[in-house]
Amino acid sequence: MPSQRVLTQPELNRALLARQLLLERVRLPIPRALERMCGLQDQYAPSGYIGLWTRLDGFHRADLTHALERRAVIQATLMRATIHLVSRRDFWPITTAIDEPLREWWFRATKRRPEEDRLRAIDARGRSLLAHGPKRKKEILESLGISASDFVGVGFWTPLVRVPPSGTWENRRADLYGLAEEWVGPRDSTADEGRALLIRRYHAAFGPASRSDVATFTGLPLTTIDEVTERLPLRTFETDNGDKLLDVRGAPLPPADISAPVRFLPTFDATMLVHARRTQILPERYRPLIFSTKTPQSIGTFLVDGQVAGTWRSEGGRVTPSPFEPLPRTVRREVEQEAAALAAFIA
């Protein structure tokens, strides 16, 4: 048996940047870009817009709003029970893949399994209510006569979407809910098909990756991931400490020394999360500055040479970067230019 190719941390970093469209801005339709990225986390509505602006050439804010209105892009609670933007084509496969594992995780985490029958009843009543059209969260709570803590029952077995204009740049609170089968169309994927697609999407967007990385991002059990990956035509690598990594064939693996431009990222960009630790896009010494109990909403960051080098804030029509360490003059100029471009986009 030939030995597996060993990938260094710098090579894994460049692979992530290439797959997340952070080595160069590209011209892609928004749905195709989201498929390349395995969706885009969108807990705070402007994050989706900024995340696409930093990756797509010629992107304008109205482009995403129109894609949501045309239903080419769907906004819903998906992986890790967080709001994501995905293409219409990917919505049902991903939803079907994570549906049961997400419920099981929630019951274990909250210890509310004894309330399952009551929550099922709330879900059925919510489905009947939303059959008449999308409703705001406040209206749903009042119509069903339930507390905010029981709102989780609404859509727990019936997939919902966040309907525009909510969850857009102009109307940032994503609290207008509709039935997925009404907004997207009938369910068109089995759980097996969805899990295979989701795992392929993950590796294409974040790989090469370990099975535990896939589990952390998708919420799928390791046994399920193993069953699916055995059927997929994947290639195998190793890290320099001997960990096994899987990857889809044909995905980019740029050389470690390829140049990486300055890029500004929004809050909760998925490249910052723990599943991508192997790439060190977020150096561990800076992680507490980005994710902590004092900043549960995360912080916007900027990359220098493929790694987080500071944070940024938007105020008074300006984007102000705050580097963690002094930057060379040429790098500082590039950061300032990118900050000015982001300020123009936000304005």
Side-chain angles (χ1 to χ4, degrees):
M1 292 288 291
S3 60
Q4 301 295 336
R5 176 180 169 184
V6 175
L7 297 176
T8 65
Q9 178 269 309
E11 288 176 310
L12 292 171
N13 175 271
R14 290 318 195 243
L16 176 68
L17 296 178
R19 298 173 192 208
Q20 284 293 304
L21 312 179
L22 293 170
L23 281 183
E24 61 178 345
R25 286 186 170 93
V26 298
R27 283 198 172 269
L28 276 177
I30 294 174
R32 300 295 83 78
L34 293 174
E35 291 170 3
R36 288 267 298 270
M37 298 162 59
C38 197
L40 183 59
Q41 189 159 319
D42 197 37
Q43 290 293 92
Y44 174 55
S47 294
Y49 290 80
I50 294 169
L52 289 171
W53 168 82
T54 207
R55 291 169 164 97
L56 299 184
D57 185 28
F59 175 77
H60 299 92
R61 290 207 313 251
D63 298 340
L64 177 54
T65 300
H66 292 161
L68 287 164
E69 293 170 343
R70 295 195 314 269
R71 312 184 193 194
V73 171
I74 307 300
Q75 185 180 58
T77 300
L78 294 170
M79 285 77 73
R80 306 177 308 283
T82 56
I83 302 173
H84 279 74
L85 300 174
V86 296
S87 72
R88 181 173 185 153
R89 178 169 65 175
D90 276 5
F91 172 78
W92 275 122
I94 291 176
T95 298
T96 306
I98 66 172
D99 187 31
E100 185 62 27
L102 186 59
R103 271 196 302 274
E104 289 302 310
W105 167 84
W106 187 86
F107 276 127
R108 288 195 306 271
T110 62
K111 297 180 172 57
R112 292 180 66 176
R113 175 71 72 178
E115 302 177 58
E116 180 173 349
D117 289 345
R118 187 172 64 83
L119 292 174
R120 281 185 180 274
I122 291 173
D123 177 84
R125 292 170 59 208
R127 182 169 62 248
S128 297
L129 176 66
L130 293 173
H132 300 287
K135 299 285 188 296
R136 297 277 179 187
K137 179 177 180 179
K138 181 179 179 181
E139 184 179 358
I140 295 170
L141 290 171
E142 292 175 349
S143 297
L144 299 182
I146 60 175
S147 66
S149 64
D150 282 340
F151 185 75
V152 66
V154 180
F156 207 37
W157 285 269
T158 302
L160 305 179
V161 298
R162 314 286 179 121
V163 177
S166 78
T168 62
W169 188 281
E170 300 78 11
N171 296 272
R172 299 181 180 184
R173 190 172 183 180
D175 65 341
L176 181 61
Y177 294 84
L179 295 177
E181 290 191 349
E182 297 292 333
W183 187 257
V184 184
R187 189 185 296 259
D188 60 2
S189 176
T190 67
D192 283 344
E193 292 168 342
R195 290 164 189 166
L197 178 88
L198 179 55
I199 290 171
R200 290 200 310 272
R201 289 276 193 253
Y202 178 81
H203 284 293
F206 294 103
S210 70
R211 56 201 287 273
S212 62
D213 294 332
V214 181
T216 299
F217 182 88
T218 64
L220 297 176
L222 286 171
T223 53
T224 298
I225 292 168
D226 291 341
E227 291 169 2
V228 174
T229 54
E230 285 178 3
R231 305 195 305 265
L232 296 178
L234 301 177
R235 54 184 176 173
T236 306
F237 300 98
E238 287 185 1
T239 66
D240 48 17
N241 62 3
D243 294 334
K244 180 181 177 181
L245 304 177
L246 296 176
D247 196 17
V248 290
R249 296 176 181 174
L253 285 173
D257 59 355
I258 192 171
S259 177
V262 168
R263 287 291 182 261
F264 278 63
L265 297 177
T267 57
F268 280 126
D269 195 277
T271 57
M272 302 288 109
L273 304 181
V274 294
H275 71 100
R277 259 185 166 141
R278 64 191 176 279
T279 70
Q280 284 299 291
I281 190 173
L282 176 57
E284 290 304 314
R285 66 187 183 277
Y286 297 147
R287 185 170 290 277
L289 302 177
I290 308 303
F291 297 100
S292 72
T293 55
K294 294 181 179 179
T295 57
Q297 75 284 357
S298 173
I299 300 174
T301 58
F302 65 88
L303 307 179
V304 172
D305 194 25
Q307 291 189 310
V308 170
T311 63
W312 62 269
R313 70 179 188 278
S314 174
E315 191 174 47
R318 293 176 58 85
V319 168
T320 304
S322 299
F324 294 137
E325 299 175 4
L327 301 173
R329 181 179 300 176
T330 55
V331 174
R332 188 167 65 246
R333 187 179 303 119
E334 187 179 356
V335 170
E336 291 169 352
Q337 291 172 347
E338 193 73 1
L342 176 56
F345 173 79
I346 290 173

